[in-house]
Amino acid sequence: MPLPLYLLAMAVFAMGTSEFMLAGLLPGIASDLDVSVGTASVLTSAFAIGMMVGAPLVAALARNWPSRSSLLGFVVAFAAAHAVGAITTSFPVLVATRAVAALANAGFLAVALTAAATLVPADKKGRALAVLLSGTTVATVAGVPGGSVLGTVFGWRATFWAVAALCLPAALGILKGTPAGRGKDDATGGPALRAELASLARPRLIVVMLLGALVNAATFGSFTFLAPVVTDTAGLSELWISVVLVLFGAGSFVGVTVAGRLSDRRPGLVVAVSGPLLFVGWPALAELADKPVALCTLVFVQGVLSFALGSTLITRVLYEAAEAPTMAGSYATAALNFGAAAGPAVAATTLSTEFGDLGPLWMSGLLVAVALLIAFPLRTVVAAGRSAEVLQ
């Protein structure tokens, strides 16, 4: 894999840390800004909505810009939003900074996903995506738990400052390692924006985007509310939140790595194995969450399955959107973040029910079940390997 791809992954690490870090910070933010944990979860949804809406919008605006300038500008804007978030005492302002950061993240990821696909041969998109997403999974292994510890010891604002600081080496890496000119596809002239947007009418693309959104909704629906499960249901101390997040992150890294080897040629195998296991795993976690050993084990397993299935479905989005070379990354980003926005919002409604803190886990199982019901009769769409049909 080319060096610029790993430099992009470093920037994704900084942004992934921010996207996931609220799972360990929500209780502290809620207490400091005098809102409920359920209300504080709006921060996660605001970020995801900004990503979902911003990805296609910003990608359309930046499709003719030089990649390096676009990526650098997005990283700087992302850092600035976190600096403002670190000093504000207003919850609405904090929500606004998350939306701005999301727009910057959306633009970056949309351009980076498209750029990553142009850096490798056409049949290596899955592996390129795995490298890029490794920034996110490393964030869940190291960045997010580290941020949780930092937040526990020094307060949640310190974590926001740390994320802003992480953007500096990422920006330097982009400046030094990403080609200054436009991509090779841009240089030779690509399809018009209207033609690229028309690809959204393809039923196959719609199906894989919907499936990716549902699986990601299940992932974020539970991940966002893991902290109270660890401290209240399992009865562990706050420092164990970081341990559980590390386990989930380690599992996600394993899942993306394995899927990266299979998603180009054997996506059907990944879906057939990980889908049903993921469906069983969320209710099992809900039932066994009061047992610390079982909790830790299942969190790791669910991290593996969630990211193996999710990254495979997003790879399918890139293949199915091959006729939209500058917008394909934004479609993948929008699908991911539609799920990331809807998941916590839907899961939050279960907190006030008889299920309490375990409600999000049960909701995640239901979301995966819906995905499987949709995928089964349309399994030839998600099971299609690398072919002329998807690589046209």
Side-chain angles (χ1 to χ4, degrees):
M1 294 287 106
L3 177 62
L5 191 57
Y6 291 96
L7 296 174
L8 293 177
M10 182 172 65
V12 172
F13 166 75
M15 295 183 175
T17 297
S18 174
E19 186 172 9
F20 284 93
M21 69 183 183
L22 291 183
L25 300 180
L26 282 184
I29 292 173
S31 176
D32 187 25
L33 300 183
D34 195 26
V35 296
S36 69
V37 172
T39 299
S41 70
V42 170
L43 295 169
T44 299
S45 296
F47 192 93
I49 290 171
M51 290 276 288
M52 177 184 65
V53 175
L57 176 61
V58 178
L61 292 174
R63 66 194 299 267
N64 294 319
W65 298 350
S67 295
R68 186 169 73 181
S69 299
S70 300
L71 294 170
L72 186 60
F74 292 138
V75 168
V76 171
F78 188 82
H82 280 76
V84 174
I87 62 177
T88 186
T89 58
S90 167
F91 182 73
V93 171
L94 185 59
V95 172
T97 66
R98 295 302 287 171
V100 171
L103 287 173
N105 193 355
F108 180 88
L109 193 55
V111 175
L113 282 169
T114 301
T118 66
L119 291 172
V120 298
D123 62 343
K124 301 295 185 182
K125 290 181 181 179
R127 292 191 64 182
L129 179 63
V131 171
L132 195 64
L133 289 182
S134 69
T136 297
T137 58
V138 171
T140 60
V141 173
V144 175
S148 179
V149 171
L150 194 64
T152 300
V153 177
F154 297 104
W156 63 270
R157 297 179 190 277
T159 304
F160 274 67
W161 282 118
V163 170
L166 277 175
C167 292
L168 299 180
L172 182 62
I174 292 168
L175 189 62
K176 296 295 185 180
T178 304
R182 297 165 67 190
K184 61 185 180 182
D185 290 343
D186 295 331
T188 58
L193 178 59
R194 180 177 297 179
E196 294 202 42
L197 293 175
S199 67
L200 283 171
R202 295 187 64 206
R204 292 169 64 96
L205 177 57
I206 294 173
V207 167
V208 291
M209 288 179 67
L210 176 60
L211 294 176
L214 284 168
V215 170
N216 211 42
T219 302
F220 269 82
S222 286
F223 186 84
T224 300
F225 299 104
L226 273 181
V229 173
V230 173
T231 56
D232 297 342
T233 305
L236 300 172
S237 68
E238 288 188 357
L239 288 177
W240 273 93
I241 295 174
S242 300
V243 175
V244 171
L245 294 179
V246 166
L247 289 171
F248 186 89
S252 68
F253 182 80
V254 172
V256 165
T257 302
V258 172
R261 299 289 179 177
L262 297 174
S263 58
D264 287 312
R265 300 179 183 275
R266 301 293 300 278
L269 176 63
V270 179
V271 174
V273 173
S274 59
L277 290 177
L278 188 63
F279 163 63
V280 172
W282 288 124
L285 182 55
E287 287 291 326
L288 299 173
D290 60 337
K291 300 175 175 58
V293 173
L295 170 68
C296 292
T297 301
L298 285 171
V299 162
F300 174 81
V301 171
Q302 292 303 93
V304 173
L305 297 173
S306 294
F307 275 76
L309 182 57
S311 64
T312 296
L313 291 171
I314 294 306
T315 299
R316 299 309 310 158
V317 172
L318 294 180
Y319 275 125
E320 296 295 342
E323 295 178 346
T326 68
M327 296 296 292
S330 71
Y331 299 160
T333 303
L336 280 172
N337 287 282
F338 180 84
V346 172
T349 65
T350 67
L351 294 173
S352 58
T353 68
E354 61 183 275
F355 296 105
D357 293 337
L358 300 178
L361 301 177
W362 287 105
M363 179 57 68
S364 291
L366 178 60
L367 290 169
V368 174
V370 173
L372 292 176
L373 289 174
I374 294 172
F376 181 75
L378 301 171
R379 56 190 178 277
T380 57
V381 175
V382 295
R386 178 172 56 90
S387 65
E389 181 180 7
V390 297
L391 291 174
Q392 59 185 337

